[in-house]
Amino acid sequence: MPSFSALAQEDAATESKLKLSGYVSIVGGKTTSGSLQGNIGPSSITGTDCPCYVADWNNAGIYGDQFTLRPESRIGVQGKYTLNEKAGITMQLVSRGTKATPDLAWAFVSYKLDQNFELYLGRKRIPLYYYSDFQDIGVAYPWVSPPPELYGWEATNYNGASLRYNRSIGDASLTASFFAGQEKVNNSRYQKIYYPEGRTQVRWNNIIGGDVEVNNGPLTLRAVLMGADVSTINRNSANPVDSQATLRAYGLAANLDMDQWFVLSEFTQLTRKYSDYKVTDPVVTVGAGMRLGKWTPFVNYAHFGERTTNSELFQVGNYHRSSVSLRYDLSSSSAVKTQVDRNVDDSKVLGGNTTVLRISYDRVF
């Protein structure tokens, strides 16, 4: 029979192999003014009267003229268990104000092949954007949330495999990855914005892509290329949907950080090719901020422009947004922010023109 000291040492060894961490963002806001003049879109979206503002497209997080914490508040808990010096298991659960049940965001096994290569098998974020892996972690960026014009599609995760490569080249660091897999979203909240009746199922099959990131001192550059086969099905008898498209996407990000001041910029373009028409969505965001002790003021501009080869079959949406943010760091692991956005619905198809005020408390633990 093992001694108490031996059991205690075994428990300590087990605890050291398991690392728990997490994050929380409590976000509240409302529209302070707005207009639907000339708008041809719906008068309400998922129960919120318009004019309204879609802050989180993937989860249908929408602000109206009543203050609410529901659209963007979230909490995530992550566990990482080290199997040995090369292998580990990572899982992450995320609970959101827009959903009654938590989501399994990450669930993968990692294995270090050598000092440069690491293999991942399981569920991960689709690395389509610069902040994809940590877009829910509010302390990681100066906005209340990343620009929804980019960070908001019906699929954000995938089940599959990825191979990541890391190395240093002189003073620069290089990271690259190749990924492949698929994703199925039942009762898509993103599609609920467009199809409020019935349950819409979205599939991203044959996801395949790669990304590369180079960091050299204050400059970080990133590029990504991805493809997938997308299907969207809603059996609602009044407004049925059954579409298939080939998706092609690429993105570029360039960030410059000079300690006191910094510039963040990102561009993506997603193209969906259907049987009889094509839709192209170029999106750009650029912002600049300054660190003044614990304070960080930040200004940003974003534009979502949509084009189609057949305007009779598809109605495009075009939006542009300007914002001013102010962040105050309570500690190295927590911050409070406030942000004012002015969103303009140029195409007058969804939400209308709105001014939005948001505040947030973000913490990692």
Side-chain angles (χ1 to χ4, degrees):
M1 181 176 180
S3 65
F4 287 113
S5 60
L7 289 173
Q9 291 175 0
E10 183 178 342
D11 289 341
T14 301
E15 289 178 3
S16 67
K17 289 184 177 182
L18 177 63
K19 293 185 178 180
L20 295 175
S21 59
Y23 57 86
V24 61
S25 288
I26 301 172
V27 187
K30 60 169 290 185
T31 59
T32 59
S33 64
S35 171
L36 279 178
Q37 186 175 2
N39 193 279
I40 59 175
S43 59
S44 68
I45 304 175
T46 64
T48 301
D49 291 336
C50 295
C52 54
Y53 176 65
V54 183
D56 183 350
W57 289 81
N58 180 255
N59 298 290
I62 301 169
Y63 291 100
D65 61 1
Q66 299 295 315
F67 182 84
T68 175
L69 298 173
R70 187 171 178 266
E72 296 180 281
S73 294
R74 58 201 179 269
I75 182 170
V77 178
Q78 177 176 302
K80 184 174 182 179
Y81 187 80
T82 301
L83 297 172
N84 53 48
E85 61 181 9
K86 290 187 174 183
I89 300 172
T90 301
M91 296 186 69
Q92 184 183 114
L93 287 173
V94 182
S95 183
R96 304 181 186 277
T98 53
K99 294 190 68 176
T101 57
D103 292 320
L104 182 63
W106 289 0
F108 61 84
V109 176
S110 59
Y111 185 81
K112 291 183 179 180
L113 301 174
D114 58 29
Q115 64 178 358
N116 299 120
F117 286 96
E118 190 164 9
L119 178 66
Y120 301 87
L121 299 173
R123 183 167 180 78
K124 293 191 71 182
R125 287 271 191 176
I126 300 173
L128 187 54
Y129 307 107
Y130 182 81
Y131 289 97
S132 287
D133 276 354
F134 45 95
Q135 70 183 71
D136 283 332
I137 304 176
V139 296
Y141 38 74
W143 312 277
V144 166
S145 60
E149 293 81 6
L150 282 81
Y151 291 77
W153 292 98
E154 67 266 60
T156 57
N157 294 79
Y158 74 102
N159 302 295
S162 64
L163 181 65
R164 182 157 290 273
Y165 175 76
N166 294 276
R167 68 165 297 179
S168 297
I169 305 174
D171 294 331
S173 62
L174 170 69
T175 302
S177 75
F178 172 82
F179 56 92
Q182 60 185 9
E183 173 70 330
K184 181 176 73 171
V185 183
N186 291 315
N187 196 24
S188 166
R189 294 196 60 80
Y190 174 95
Q191 293 294 342
K192 207 77 173 176
I193 296 173
Y194 297 99
Y195 309 111
E197 303 299 327
R199 299 169 65 89
T200 304
Q201 183 189 85
V202 175
R203 287 181 179 267
W204 282 27
N205 294 320
N206 303 316
I207 298 172
I208 187 168
D211 66 275
V212 59
E213 182 176 316
V214 178
N215 175 267
N216 190 355
L219 181 64
T220 301
L221 301 174
R222 183 179 187 270
V224 61
L225 183 66
M226 189 196 78
D229 296 322
V230 177
S231 69
T232 305
I233 299 174
N234 187 326
R235 302 302 186 190
N236 175 34
S237 58
N239 187 25
V241 180
D242 190 346
S243 67
Q244 288 75 40
T246 300
L247 173 68
R248 295 291 179 267
Y250 68 89
L252 300 168
N255 298 330
L256 183 65
D257 193 331
M258 301 300 294
D259 292 331
Q260 186 173 15
W261 62 270
F262 58 96
V263 176
L264 306 177
S265 66
E266 192 165 4
F267 170 83
T268 63
Q269 179 166 295
L270 277 69
T271 300
R272 300 188 191 216
K273 186 175 182 181
Y274 299 87
S275 59
D276 45 7
Y277 67 98
K278 183 171 66 173
V279 179
T280 303
D281 302 319
V283 194
V284 64
T285 179
V286 60
M290 181 169 289
R291 300 183 181 94
L292 303 171
K294 294 185 177 183
W295 296 93
T296 305
F298 184 79
V299 294
N300 194 82
Y301 175 81
H303 182 268
F304 176 93
E306 205 162 38
R307 304 190 300 266
T308 181
T309 57
N310 192 326
S311 58
E312 294 183 0
L313 294 177
F314 186 88
Q315 188 175 60
V316 299
N318 291 282
Y319 316 91
H320 72 270
R321 180 181 56 87
S322 302
S323 66
V324 178
S325 310
L326 183 62
R327 168 176 172 153
Y328 180 78
D329 290 317
L330 298 169
S331 67
S332 60
S333 59
S334 63
V336 292
K337 306 175 202 169
T338 184
Q339 182 168 317
V340 177
D341 300 88
R342 178 56 184 173
N343 185 68
V344 179
D345 179 6
D346 296 301
S347 52
K348 302 184 184 302
V349 297
L350 194 73
N353 302 335
T354 53
T355 299
V356 188
L357 173 65
R358 289 180 288 167
I359 56 175
S360 70
Y361 169 76
D362 303 294
R363 183 179 179 84
V364 293
F365 53 87

